[in-house]
Amino acid sequence: MTNSLASLESRLDALRAEWVGAAPAFGAAVEAGAERGLDDVVAMNDAGLVRVVEVAGGLRRQLDAVLAALAAEVDLRSDAAFGAEGLAKRHGQRNAIQLVASTVGATPRQAAMLVRVGAASRPRASFTGEPMPPRRPAVAGALASGAIGLEAADAICTMLDRVAPRTSVARAAAYEVELAAFATSVPYSLLQRAVTHAEARLDPDGVAPHDEALREQRSLTITEEASGMVRLHGRFDVTTAAPIKAAVEQLVTEVLQRRRATSDNRPDGDGPVVDDLRSIPQLQADALADLARHALGCAEMPTVSKTTVVVRLHADALDEALPCDHADAAIRGAVDARDDRVVHGAAARPTTPCMLGSIDGFDRVLSAAMLRRMAADAELIPMVLGGRSEPLDVGRSKRLFTRAQRLALAERDGGCASCGRNIGYVDAHHIRWWERDSGSTDLDNGVLLCTHCHHQVHRDGWSIISRRHEIWFLPPPHVDPEQRPRLGGRARFELRDVA
């Protein structure tokens, strides 16, 4: 704890230094701010404010690490074995979580997280009193240094605890090291994707039972409120939600595209008579109602544009023994005789990572059995992958990126290749510009980017290096003087180098 306090003091000193450095160069500006009743935060310059926030964030993360260690000790001293003499009960609380929550001013959920992370990251002792490393040493080191936050540490530790009975200690340790390092450089949302993929690889046999358990929890309730509004509350597993999400998003996207087209340099009178001012939630509500009217056969319903659910599955998963039903026929038909590795009626074998797949637009990894059943729907397009996850049966275009090419790019990039944004909000772009650089429209010159990252890449001068299975971003000198390449795309969060 002495070292932890020293680290906190060092970080606090750094915060003080940055705070002073963020002040204006001339005292007049500070005095003017004081006269207006503004504090010194308002007077900070932009660059200084960002540095202060960064250092303060590191201080908070280190303080959370100390709180986690303290919470774990409170939990030990409040064990049920102590009965009424336990620490929590002597302070009038039922358990350690309630005691931590009341003393820290946190919710029970936050207090439970502190206890869990503290228990996983605190040093241990053997039965003979000899010191032992923490149960999760890589996470403990990253947390203590302030490199990762409490939520990231909890996500990694709880996943490793779930799979511990069904994987080897060595594999779990290898993934812990990679995930802890990955968490230091990516936002929490991208870490969650990496944790999801890591869990599926560490415990592939647990994916299918979990899929079924989630499906059993699906529900939809429709309630008429006293205000006159009707509330729809639904919880769906991924396979149930996928067609709903795809259909609603397609209708909303069309409206947004029409809205954008009519606002881009159109002369007066060349747009809709009445402006469409609906918010995104309103558009989604209207889209759901439109789909329901269409299903009821309403003749007034405008034509609903066709959309698809893209299912991604490794070709080896087709060898898995399942009853020969419509699902088998649909997904095998997409492969046809063009992949001679498909063996009908192959013997059953244990699930491996290649027996898993995914649905575009969702982070969750699904079992091959679940995806086969989905493929029985004629509107589902299986994206069958060969060795080294190379897309099969995708076409090429000499001008615009075709649908087949976008599907292939999505397999490599997994959404926005830069920030990891959902695949439903990205577009295919030329790395070497079509007009300026005479760039070709092929897979090696394509990348999926969201609108923000697309503009940022061009504005700041990033370079992109494309490979069939990987995408790399080369920062400009003002971002990284050494211009070290940064891995992007799906390979970044799938941690493919871990055995």
PDB file of all heavy atoms in Angstrom, residues 175-193:
ATOM      1  N   TYR A 175      -4.184 -15.022 -22.678  1.00  0.00           N
ATOM      2  CA  TYR A 175      -5.226 -14.070 -23.060  1.00  0.00           C
ATOM      3  C   TYR A 175      -5.297 -12.910 -22.077  1.00  0.00           C
ATOM      4  O   TYR A 175      -5.592 -11.772 -22.468  1.00  0.00           O
ATOM      5  CB  TYR A 175      -6.581 -14.770 -23.150  1.00  0.00           C
ATOM      6  CG  TYR A 175      -6.854 -15.342 -24.521  1.00  0.00           C
ATOM      7  CD1 TYR A 175      -6.546 -16.659 -24.825  1.00  0.00           C
ATOM      8  CD2 TYR A 175      -7.402 -14.543 -25.526  1.00  0.00           C
ATOM      9  CE1 TYR A 175      -6.786 -17.181 -26.087  1.00  0.00           C
ATOM     10  CE2 TYR A 175      -7.639 -15.061 -26.789  1.00  0.00           C
ATOM     11  CZ  TYR A 175      -7.334 -16.373 -27.068  1.00  0.00           C
ATOM     12  OH  TYR A 175      -7.568 -16.879 -28.319  1.00  0.00           O
ATOM     13  N   GLU A 176      -5.033 -13.178 -20.799  1.00  0.00           N
ATOM     14  CA  GLU A 176      -5.043 -12.083 -19.823  1.00  0.00           C
ATOM     15  C   GLU A 176      -3.987 -11.040 -20.172  1.00  0.00           C
ATOM     16  O   GLU A 176      -4.252  -9.828 -20.130  1.00  0.00           O
ATOM     17  CB  GLU A 176      -4.781 -12.635 -18.418  1.00  0.00           C
ATOM     18  CG  GLU A 176      -4.778 -11.548 -17.351  1.00  0.00           C
ATOM     19  CD  GLU A 176      -4.152 -11.988 -16.035  1.00  0.00           C
ATOM     20  OE1 GLU A 176      -3.931 -13.206 -15.865  1.00  0.00           O
ATOM     21  OE2 GLU A 176      -3.876 -11.114 -15.195  1.00  0.00           O
ATOM     22  N   VAL A 177      -2.802 -11.500 -20.510  1.00  0.00           N
ATOM     23  CA  VAL A 177      -1.719 -10.572 -20.869  1.00  0.00           C
ATOM     24  C   VAL A 177      -2.107  -9.741 -22.084  1.00  0.00           C
ATOM     25  O   VAL A 177      -1.940  -8.510 -22.101  1.00  0.00           O
ATOM     26  CB  VAL A 177      -0.418 -11.353 -21.133  1.00  0.00           C
ATOM     27  CG1 VAL A 177       0.643 -10.431 -21.730  1.00  0.00           C
ATOM     28  CG2 VAL A 177       0.100 -11.981 -19.849  1.00  0.00           C
ATOM     29  N   GLU A 178      -2.641 -10.399 -23.116  1.00  0.00           N
ATOM     30  CA  GLU A 178      -2.999  -9.680 -24.340  1.00  0.00           C
ATOM     31  C   GLU A 178      -4.142  -8.702 -24.102  1.00  0.00           C
ATOM     32  O   GLU A 178      -4.126  -7.568 -24.592  1.00  0.00           O
ATOM     33  CB  GLU A 178      -3.391 -10.684 -25.428  1.00  0.00           C
ATOM     34  CG  GLU A 178      -2.227 -11.508 -25.957  1.00  0.00           C
ATOM     35  CD  GLU A 178      -1.175 -10.656 -26.633  1.00  0.00           C
ATOM     36  OE1 GLU A 178      -1.548  -9.678 -27.312  1.00  0.00           O
ATOM     37  OE2 GLU A 178       0.021 -10.958 -26.482  1.00  0.00           O
ATOM     38  N   LEU A 179      -5.143  -9.123 -23.355  1.00  0.00           N
ATOM     39  CA  LEU A 179      -6.298  -8.247 -23.108  1.00  0.00           C
ATOM     40  C   LEU A 179      -5.912  -7.060 -22.235  1.00  0.00           C
ATOM     41  O   LEU A 179      -6.372  -5.927 -22.468  1.00  0.00           O
ATOM     42  CB  LEU A 179      -7.422  -9.041 -22.448  1.00  0.00           C
ATOM     43  CG  LEU A 179      -8.173 -10.016 -23.356  1.00  0.00           C
ATOM     44  CD1 LEU A 179      -9.081 -10.919 -22.534  1.00  0.00           C
ATOM     45  CD2 LEU A 179      -8.988  -9.270 -24.408  1.00  0.00           C
ATOM     46  N   ALA A 180      -5.070  -7.282 -21.232  1.00  0.00           N
ATOM     47  CA  ALA A 180      -4.638  -6.179 -20.373  1.00  0.00           C
ATOM     48  C   ALA A 180      -3.854  -5.146 -21.179  1.00  0.00           C
ATOM     49  O   ALA A 180      -4.023  -3.930 -20.986  1.00  0.00           O
ATOM     50  CB  ALA A 180      -3.803  -6.708 -19.215  1.00  0.00           C
ATOM     51  N   ALA A 181      -2.992  -5.618 -22.078  1.00  0.00           N
ATOM     52  CA  ALA A 181      -2.238  -4.687 -22.928  1.00  0.00           C
ATOM     53  C   ALA A 181      -3.159  -3.983 -23.913  1.00  0.00           C
ATOM     54  O   ALA A 181      -3.028  -2.783 -24.168  1.00  0.00           O
ATOM     55  CB  ALA A 181      -1.131  -5.448 -23.671  1.00  0.00           C
ATOM     56  N   PHE A 182      -4.126  -4.722 -24.477  1.00  0.00           N
ATOM     57  CA  PHE A 182      -5.067  -4.155 -25.437  1.00  0.00           C
ATOM     58  C   PHE A 182      -5.915  -3.067 -24.789  1.00  0.00           C
ATOM     59  O   PHE A 182      -6.201  -2.033 -25.399  1.00  0.00           O
ATOM     60  CB  PHE A 182      -5.967  -5.281 -25.962  1.00  0.00           C
ATOM     61  CG  PHE A 182      -6.871  -4.886 -27.078  1.00  0.00           C
ATOM     62  CD1 PHE A 182      -6.370  -4.482 -28.306  1.00  0.00           C
ATOM     63  CD2 PHE A 182      -8.245  -4.939 -26.921  1.00  0.00           C
ATOM     64  CE1 PHE A 182      -7.209  -4.134 -29.349  1.00  0.00           C
ATOM     65  CE2 PHE A 182      -9.101  -4.585 -27.954  1.00  0.00           C
ATOM     66  CZ  PHE A 182      -8.579  -4.181 -29.177  1.00  0.00           C
ATOM     67  N   ALA A 183      -6.294  -3.275 -23.520  1.00  0.00           N
ATOM     68  CA  ALA A 183      -7.162  -2.329 -22.819  1.00  0.00           C
ATOM     69  C   ALA A 183      -6.502  -0.975 -22.589  1.00  0.00           C
ATOM     70  O   ALA A 183      -7.191   0.018 -22.368  1.00  0.00           O
ATOM     71  CB  ALA A 183      -7.604  -2.917 -21.482  1.00  0.00           C
ATOM     72  N   THR A 184      -5.179  -0.923 -22.644  1.00  0.00           N
ATOM     73  CA  THR A 184      -4.481   0.344 -22.396  1.00  0.00           C
ATOM     74  C   THR A 184      -4.577   1.317 -23.558  1.00  0.00           C
ATOM     75  O   THR A 184      -4.303   2.505 -23.390  1.00  0.00           O
ATOM     76  CB  THR A 184      -2.994   0.093 -22.097  1.00  0.00           C
ATOM     77  OG1 THR A 184      -2.367  -0.481 -23.258  1.00  0.00           O
ATOM     78  CG2 THR A 184      -2.823  -0.853 -20.922  1.00  0.00           C
ATOM     79  N   SER A 185      -4.992   0.828 -24.725  1.00  0.00           N
ATOM     80  CA  SER A 185      -4.928   1.692 -25.917  1.00  0.00           C
ATOM     81  C   SER A 185      -6.228   1.807 -26.688  1.00  0.00           C
ATOM     82  O   SER A 185      -6.254   2.417 -27.751  1.00  0.00           O
ATOM     83  CB  SER A 185      -3.830   1.172 -26.863  1.00  0.00           C
ATOM     84  OG  SER A 185      -4.107  -0.167 -27.273  1.00  0.00           O
ATOM     85  N   VAL A 186      -7.305   1.202 -26.192  1.00  0.00           N
ATOM     86  CA  VAL A 186      -8.566   1.230 -26.932  1.00  0.00           C
ATOM     87  C   VAL A 186      -9.705   1.655 -26.016  1.00  0.00           C
ATOM     88  O   VAL A 186      -9.606   1.514 -24.792  1.00  0.00           O
ATOM     89  CB  VAL A 186      -8.897  -0.159 -27.539  1.00  0.00           C
ATOM     90  CG1 VAL A 186      -7.821  -0.584 -28.509  1.00  0.00           C
ATOM     91  CG2 VAL A 186      -9.079  -1.202 -26.446  1.00  0.00           C
ATOM     92  N   PRO A 187     -10.794   2.166 -26.566  1.00  0.00           N
ATOM     93  CA  PRO A 187     -11.956   2.482 -25.731  1.00  0.00           C
ATOM     94  C   PRO A 187     -12.608   1.217 -25.191  1.00  0.00           C
ATOM     95  O   PRO A 187     -12.403   0.117 -25.723  1.00  0.00           O
ATOM     96  CB  PRO A 187     -12.888   3.235 -26.696  1.00  0.00           C
ATOM     97  CG  PRO A 187     -12.474   2.799 -28.056  1.00  0.00           C
ATOM     98  CD  PRO A 187     -10.995   2.557 -27.973  1.00  0.00           C
ATOM     99  N   TYR A 188     -13.416   1.394 -24.170  1.00  0.00           N
ATOM    100  CA  TYR A 188     -14.021   0.247 -23.480  1.00  0.00           C
ATOM    101  C   TYR A 188     -14.892  -0.570 -24.423  1.00  0.00           C
ATOM    102  O   TYR A 188     -14.936  -1.804 -24.316  1.00  0.00           O
ATOM    103  CB  TYR A 188     -14.839   0.749 -22.288  1.00  0.00           C
ATOM    104  CG  TYR A 188     -15.482  -0.349 -21.484  1.00  0.00           C
ATOM    105  CD1 TYR A 188     -14.708  -1.233 -20.738  1.00  0.00           C
ATOM    106  CD2 TYR A 188     -16.859  -0.508 -21.473  1.00  0.00           C
ATOM    107  CE1 TYR A 188     -15.297  -2.246 -19.992  1.00  0.00           C
ATOM    108  CE2 TYR A 188     -17.456  -1.520 -20.731  1.00  0.00           C
ATOM    109  CZ  TYR A 188     -16.672  -2.381 -20.002  1.00  0.00           C
ATOM    110  OH  TYR A 188     -17.256  -3.388 -19.276  1.00  0.00           O
ATOM    111  N   SER A 189     -15.595   0.072 -25.336  1.00  0.00           N
ATOM    112  CA  SER A 189     -16.478  -0.663 -26.251  1.00  0.00           C
ATOM    113  C   SER A 189     -15.701  -1.650 -27.110  1.00  0.00           C
ATOM    114  O   SER A 189     -16.165  -2.771 -27.372  1.00  0.00           O
ATOM    115  CB  SER A 189     -17.243   0.315 -27.144  1.00  0.00           C
ATOM    116  OG  SER A 189     -16.342   1.112 -27.901  1.00  0.00           O
ATOM    117  N   LEU A 190     -14.514  -1.261 -27.544  1.00  0.00           N
ATOM    118  CA  LEU A 190     -13.699  -2.162 -28.362  1.00  0.00           C
ATOM    119  C   LEU A 190     -13.106  -3.278 -27.505  1.00  0.00           C
ATOM    120  O   LEU A 190     -12.962  -4.416 -27.965  1.00  0.00           O
ATOM    121  CB  LEU A 190     -12.594  -1.375 -29.063  1.00  0.00           C
ATOM    122  CG  LEU A 190     -11.966  -2.040 -30.294  1.00  0.00           C
ATOM    123  CD1 LEU A 190     -13.026  -2.365 -31.336  1.00  0.00           C
ATOM    124  CD2 LEU A 190     -10.902  -1.144 -30.899  1.00  0.00           C
ATOM    125  N   LEU A 191     -12.770  -2.958 -26.265  1.00  0.00           N
ATOM    126  CA  LEU A 191     -12.285  -4.001 -25.353  1.00  0.00           C
ATOM    127  C   LEU A 191     -13.369  -5.055 -25.138  1.00  0.00           C
ATOM    128  O   LEU A 191     -13.077  -6.255 -25.093  1.00  0.00           O
ATOM    129  CB  LEU A 191     -11.874  -3.397 -24.019  1.00  0.00           C
ATOM    130  CG  LEU A 191     -11.516  -4.418 -22.921  1.00  0.00           C
ATOM    131  CD1 LEU A 191     -10.281  -5.213 -23.309  1.00  0.00           C
ATOM    132  CD2 LEU A 191     -11.335  -3.734 -21.577  1.00  0.00           C
ATOM    133  N   GLN A 192     -14.627  -4.628 -25.012  1.00  0.00           N
ATOM    134  CA  GLN A 192     -15.719  -5.580 -24.826  1.00  0.00           C
ATOM    135  C   GLN A 192     -15.801  -6.566 -25.992  1.00  0.00           C
ATOM    136  O   GLN A 192     -16.056  -7.752 -25.797  1.00  0.00           O
ATOM    137  CB  GLN A 192     -17.041  -4.839 -24.676  1.00  0.00           C
ATOM    138  CG  GLN A 192     -17.222  -4.164 -23.324  1.00  0.00           C
ATOM    139  CD  GLN A 192     -18.554  -3.460 -23.224  1.00  0.00           C
ATOM    140  OE1 GLN A 192     -18.910  -2.648 -24.073  1.00  0.00           O
ATOM    141  NE2 GLN A 192     -19.320  -3.776 -22.188  1.00  0.00           N
ATOM    142  N   ARG A 193     -15.581  -6.074 -27.200  1.00  0.00           N
ATOM    143  CA  ARG A 193     -15.590  -6.960 -28.368  1.00  0.00           C
ATOM    144  C   ARG A 193     -14.456  -7.972 -28.275  1.00  0.00           C
ATOM    145  O   ARG A 193     -14.634  -9.167 -28.574  1.00  0.00           O
ATOM    146  CB  ARG A 193     -15.476  -6.146 -29.658  1.00  0.00           C
ATOM    147  CG  ARG A 193     -16.664  -5.244 -29.919  1.00  0.00           C
ATOM    148  CD  ARG A 193     -16.481  -4.387 -31.142  1.00  0.00           C
ATOM    149  NE  ARG A 193     -16.477  -5.168 -32.369  1.00  0.00           N
ATOM    150  CZ  ARG A 193     -16.385  -4.633 -33.588  1.00  0.00           C
ATOM    151  NH1 ARG A 193     -16.256  -3.323 -33.733  1.00  0.00           N
ATOM    152  NH2 ARG A 193     -16.395  -5.405 -34.646  1.00  0.00           N
TER     153      ARG A 193
END
